[in-house]
Amino acid sequence: MLIRIDPTREEPVFAQIAGSIRGDIVAERSKPGDRLPAAKEVATALGVNLHTVLHAYRQLREEGLVDMRPGRGAVVTDAATPLAALHDDIRTLVRRAEKLGVSREVLAGVVRETRT
């Protein structure tokens, strides 16, 4: 798993970490049962505070995408399966938004606020 962050972005680092992991889940690079790297390893590799990584992992746990257990670490849950099923739809939507000049941030905000 390659977790990417961009320190020049306004988005908080913990949100970037969670987003990178979410992206791996959607792209099926991380599947149910897979363990996430130890938070300490991620913090060291990215040069960020351990609590920043733990914040990202807790956010993913609150979303139901990760289960965290002492001694076992963070593990991707079965909730990843339906998210991965949306991969092609998400890519299509992002490409269409880019063609229309809509930024990813605006698109994400619209998705968050869209009700069915």
Side-chain angles (χ1 to χ4, degrees):
M1 173 177 286
L2 178 62
I3 299 173
R4 296 178 187 91
I5 62 167
D6 179 354
T8 64
R9 287 178 50 194
E10 289 186 27
E11 181 180 28
V13 173
F14 81 88
Q16 291 183 52
I17 293 169
S20 182
I21 294 168
R22 236 182 262 106
D24 277 354
I25 290 170
V26 169
E28 295 186 275
R29 290 185 293 268
S30 293
K31 299 180 181 185
D34 287 354
R35 295 176 90 165
L36 298 183
K40 188 174 183 178
E41 291 174 19
V42 174
T44 301
L46 297 177
V48 300
N49 187 290
L50 172 63
H51 295 288
T52 301
V53 178
L54 290 172
H55 189 173
Y57 281 17
R58 282 191 298 271
Q59 181 178 15
L60 294 167
R61 181 186 62 199
E62 289 169 10
E63 294 171 7
L65 295 174
V66 169
D67 184 28
M68 293 171 56
R69 294 192 183 153
R72 193 170 151 219
V75 179
V76 178
T77 68
D78 290 334
T81 302
L83 188 59
L86 294 172
H87 183 247
D88 291 336
D89 297 328
I90 293 167
R91 289 184 66 130
T92 300
L93 180 61
V94 169
R95 274 192 232 115
R96 182 147 191 248
E98 287 172 351
K99 285 181 184 177
L100 295 171
V102 176
S103 73
R104 290 178 182 222
E105 290 77 18
V106 170
L107 178 61
V110 170
V111 169
R112 270 193 299 276
E113 299 304 319
T114 300
R115 305 279 187 246
T116 58

